[in-house]
Amino acid sequence: MPDPAGLELVAHELREQVPDAVEDTDYHRDVATLIIRPAGILDALRWLRDEPSQRYHFLASLHAADYLPAAPRFGVHYELLNLERVERLHVKAVLDDPGAPALPEIDSCVDLFPTAEFQEREAYDMFGIRFRGHPDLRRILMPDDYEGYPQRRDFPIGGEPVLFTHNEATTPRWWE
Amino acid sequence: MVGVSERTAGESVPELATGVVTEPVTAPQAPDGDLGPDRELLTVNFGPHHPATHGVLRLLVTLEGEVVRDMKPFVGYVHTGIEKSCEDKSYWKVIPLVERADYLAYHFNALVFCMAVERLLDEPVPPRAQYLRVIHCELNRIHSHLVWLGTSAMDLGAISVFWYCFRERDKVLDAFEASTGQRMHTRYIQVGGVAEDIPAGWDRRVLELVDDLEERVGQYEAMLDRNEIFLRRTKGVGIVDEQRLLELGVTGPLLRAAGNPFDLRKAAPYCSYEDFDFKIPVGTVGDCYDRYRVRVAEMRESCRIVRQAIEGLPEGPRITENRKVALPPRHELATSMEALIHHFKLVTEGFRVPPGEAYVAIEGPRGELGCFVVADGSAKPARVHFRDPSFVNLQALRDMTVDGYVADMIVNLAMLDPILGGIDR
């Protein structure tokens, strides 16, 4: 992990290379977080990956979170890893909720990190975050015809009837 | 073929004189241009109910004859919404849920979740608890690899290996039952430590078990390493180079078989792994045979870690003394009002975690197992996400199988070791 001073250095260099990308930095419990504006996420990730002094080549994980009722509602998290120094850098982009039926949008990083393909699909499936430029943005865990984004905080837990053979005729919309 | 890679941090698996030479298995190349009458593509659904998919995995395979030209995995058939359900449970009640995600790595799931919560709480773990965690996780790794070895060998027609592996696996589960009360999904690892200290005599029993296991693993190797069918079906099959694996986010034995000695236990030691002397087995070619050899060698190294951890097991508490996080000892409830209040608060509401986010990664049996926890200051997590290695590694299956034979796809899938419970969560 970069220490707090190292994180500020990274943020400073990134501000020079990609203007308007860095929104903020955060250092909490030994985790260095770069908060990036969604519009500059691809440039920032590309710089972090290709810049010789950074070389965060490995995207360990990509996941989303819903911060309801906070104002920028959604967060997309990129856990970058430098394999030589075994340093992790947490990159986070926060997205506003445009309000239903529109979906929040961010650029897909599949071209930079092919590993993100399944994980972006999962974030789309569970949170309804649309990744622009994703080659195959479909639901991955939920059924293709499912309505709603189940891991949003305003989506209730339970309440859906479990489909068995004995109740499928009486379960609404089972045939769809 | 396995030899010493220049970059190895640890031991390379010794090569056996088998007489079978590693050459990449190549299928006939597709002729250019349109489909002629002699060239027909056939799309086949493989799974979801098929014993060789190791779970409920569906592969949409495009075949030309018996050569795979395209392959797409479909997952989600056992999606149970574990991550969503976690948001409705207090932190200590989440542990049994997450254990059921990757059902062969339950101690790892519990450990990584507890480590993430401990990081948010800034709660130190006593050394004895760390050692007990290591012992259980390494036994769990052996157990997971034994299930993998048995089922993979069964896919290749060697069903006797399956019976033998499950016999040894049962002995590991017996040890878990003795120490934790459960064979699987033990809820043993708790935030701040472990749920119970080991019973008297358990350490001696586990030492005998790992001695036995080391011998047994050698016997399984003897059954497979000179088996010509096994060798011809695994050597040179499914080669993907290290660079491509890294792009696809593949970690664990698959990456190490391709020659990259990346293992979080060595690279970024957690849970006092730095105290133990063990090696990281690596392969050189990155074919299915290397994957098999790396995992078998890992079982031996795990036995070594367990032995060292039991011999060096420190005295001390098994869980943190912080009563805001861990339950007070039972005998105090009869005499101490304060202990009773702590007990009541912990059991009814649970402990509160200060707001923050943490991503913690450990080395699971299948690669980097990560857990991302968002705390909002209440007694329930606002978000729990598992970066399951099977989910990420599955993306590499396409690179392994396309333009190979359909029979090799079975081998590739078996050697990938996907656990659908972990993929679908």
Side-chain angles (χ1 to χ4, degrees):
Chain A
M1 311 270 176
D3 52 7
L7 174 67
E8 289 309 319
L9 271 176
V10 174
H12 179 73
E13 279 186 51
L14 185 54
R15 276 192 186 104
E16 285 187 349
Q17 297 297 322
V18 189
D20 290 339
V22 183
E23 191 169 321
D24 203 358
T25 58
D26 182 31
Y27 196 83
H28 179 69
R29 299 258 194 264
D30 301 332
V31 180
T33 304
L34 268 181
I35 301 169
I36 305 282
R37 290 198 176 83
I41 188 72
L42 275 191
D43 292 334
L45 287 176
R46 186 177 293 114
W47 183 81
L48 286 168
R49 187 188 72 159
D50 296 339
E51 164 69 26
S53 63
Q54 307 301 327
R55 295 177 51 77
Y56 288 96
H57 273 275
F58 191 77
L59 179 68
S61 178
L62 185 155
H63 39 255
D66 182 357
Y67 296 106
L68 191 78
R73 182 174 163 186
F74 297 103
V76 181
H77 300 256
Y78 305 81
E79 301 288 346
L80 296 176
L81 174 64
N82 177 314
L83 284 168
E84 289 100 32
R85 304 194 299 260
V86 199
E87 269 187 8
R88 286 183 192 277
L89 182 67
H90 177 205
V91 175
K92 173 177 164 184
V94 285
L95 305 174
D96 275 315
D97 183 14
L103 296 178
E105 286 195 8
I106 190 168
D107 286 324
S108 162
C109 68
V110 173
D111 289 341
L112 293 175
F113 302 101
T115 174
E117 188 186 337
F118 272 21
Q119 308 188 41
E120 285 184 353
R121 275 178 69 187
E122 189 190 343
Y124 164 73
D125 191 358
M126 295 297 165
F127 292 93
I129 295 170
R130 191 177 290 285
F131 290 89
R132 276 188 298 259
H134 189 284
D136 186 19
L137 196 66
R138 287 178 295 122
R139 287 189 179 274
I140 184 163
L141 295 180
M142 302 302 289
D144 284 338
D145 56 353
Y146 195 80
E147 282 173 24
Y149 301 101
Q151 281 196 11
R152 288 189 174 188
R153 293 286 277 169
D154 51 4
F155 192 95
I157 293 182
E160 266 183 69
V162 179
L163 199 64
F164 294 105
T165 325
H166 70 83
N167 67 354
E168 64 176 11
T170 53
T171 304
R173 299 183 49 240
W174 67 271
W175 56 87
E176 287 179 13
Chain B
M1 194 166 298
V2 179
V4 183
S5 138
E6 282 175 16
R7 317 176 32 200
T8 55
E11 182 194 39
S12 178
V13 218
E15 188 189 340
L16 291 167
T18 52
V20 178
V21 186
T22 306
E23 273 171 23
V25 174
T26 45
Q29 285 303 305
D32 296 331
D34 296 332
L35 294 176
D38 54 335
R39 187 161 179 261
E40 188 186 3
L41 291 181
L42 179 69
T43 305
V44 183
N45 250 328
F46 177 78
H49 298 289
H50 190 287
T53 57
H54 292 234
V56 206
L57 171 68
R58 179 177 144 220
L59 302 172
L60 194 66
V61 193
T62 306
L63 295 172
E64 182 192 350
E66 56 174 325
V67 179
V68 179
R69 291 296 178 211
D70 196 11
M71 199 277 309
K72 244 185 191 178
F74 289 80
V75 297
Y77 292 95
V78 285
H79 174 64
T80 43
I82 287 177
E83 290 177 2
K84 178 78 176 175
S85 308
C86 290
E87 295 169 12
D88 199 34
K89 301 244 180 290
S90 53
Y91 283 91
W92 63 288
K93 290 180 184 171
V94 166
I95 297 167
L97 264 180
V98 298
E99 280 181 332
R100 280 153 178 82
D102 185 343
Y103 45 82
L104 287 184
Y106 35 95
H107 281 307
F108 292 94
N109 291 341
L111 174 63
V112 72
F113 174 74
C114 288
M115 281 171 66
V117 177
E118 281 153 12
R119 174 174 289 175
L120 288 170
L121 286 166
D122 209 9
E123 184 66 46
V125 179
R128 187 176 176 86
Q130 295 194 6
Y131 272 57
L132 288 175
R133 287 175 171 190
V134 167
I135 294 169
H136 282 85
C137 279
E138 290 307 318
L139 285 174
N140 195 170
R141 190 186 308 275
I142 297 170
H143 148 54
S144 171
H145 281 357
L146 280 173
V147 173
W148 158 79
L149 180 61
T151 52
S152 303
M154 189 173 66
D155 285 347
L156 296 172
I159 198 164
S160 44
V161 180
F162 175 78
W163 303 123
Y164 289 127
C165 285
F166 268 61
R167 178 187 64 189
E168 258 48 70
R169 166 189 184 253
D170 248 33
K171 290 186 184 164
V172 177
L173 294 185
D174 286 343
F176 285 160
E177 191 175 9
S179 69
T180 69
Q182 296 281 334
R183 297 171 74 78
M184 293 178 81
H185 313 308
T186 57
R187 203 191 58 93
Y188 181 64
I189 294 171
Q190 296 286 305
V191 176
V194 294
E196 265 180 292
D197 214 328
I198 50 174
W202 191 78
D203 45 354
R204 214 172 341 102
R205 182 178 166 175
V206 170
L207 284 180
E208 283 168 18
L209 172 69
V210 290
D211 286 344
D212 186 44
L213 277 169
E214 275 187 335
E215 196 190 329
R216 297 293 184 195
V217 168
Q219 292 176 355
Y220 305 149
E221 270 184 312
M223 292 175 81
L224 293 172
D225 265 338
R226 284 174 175 68
N227 180 334
E228 182 134 351
I229 300 172
F230 182 81
L231 293 176
R232 284 191 190 273
R233 287 204 59 187
T234 53
K235 282 204 165 190
V237 170
I239 299 178
V240 181
D241 64 278
E242 179 197 337
Q243 203 50 45
R244 180 68 184 153
L245 288 177
L246 287 174
E247 281 176 13
L248 289 167
V250 175
T251 44
L254 294 176
L255 181 63
R256 290 195 284 275
N260 188 326
F262 184 70
D263 186 321
L264 285 168
R265 293 176 292 173
K266 274 271 193 243
Y270 54 90
C271 215
S272 60
Y273 267 107
E274 63 275 12
D275 296 357
F276 307 115
D277 171 36
F278 62 101
K279 289 170 178 164
I280 308 294
V282 289
T284 48
V285 181
D287 57 358
C288 284
Y289 181 69
D290 276 4
R291 290 168 197 147
Y292 151 75
R293 295 287 292 165
V294 162
R295 284 198 180 98
V296 168
E298 265 182 23
M299 283 198 255
R300 288 217 177 80
E301 295 303 319
S302 292
C303 289
R304 285 181 62 197
I305 298 175
V306 172
R307 193 172 294 125
Q308 292 170 49
I310 286 197
E311 280 162 2
L313 188 62
E315 293 297 323
R318 58 159 176 84
I319 198 162
T320 172
E321 306 273 352
N322 183 355
R323 295 289 156 77
K324 303 288 177 207
V325 172
L327 288 174
R330 191 79 204 170
H331 63 85
E332 280 186 21
L333 297 187
T335 52
S336 161
M337 189 64 204
E338 204 184 353
L340 193 64
I341 293 170
H342 278 138
H343 187 276
F344 181 76
K345 282 299 282 180
L346 279 176
V347 171
T348 51
E349 189 195 2
F351 51 85
R352 294 188 181 188
V353 176
E357 303 171 335
Y359 175 83
V360 175
I362 62 170
E363 186 70 28
R366 277 161 275 283
E368 172 172 327
L369 175 65
C371 181
F372 175 72
V373 177
V374 178
D376 57 1
S378 72
K380 293 173 183 173
R383 166 101 169 104
V384 178
H385 173 75
F386 268 78
R387 185 261 190 214
D388 195 274
S390 310
F391 183 70
V392 181
N393 291 356
L394 187 65
Q395 297 180 86
L397 186 60
R398 191 174 185 284
D399 284 56
M400 293 175 188
T401 45
V402 167
D403 289 338
Y405 290 107
V406 67
D408 290 342
M409 188 178 76
I410 308 292
V411 186
N412 286 324
L413 185 62
M415 296 292 166
L416 191 87
D417 192 18
I419 297 297
L420 272 293
I423 291 177
D424 292 347
R425 281 156 288 156

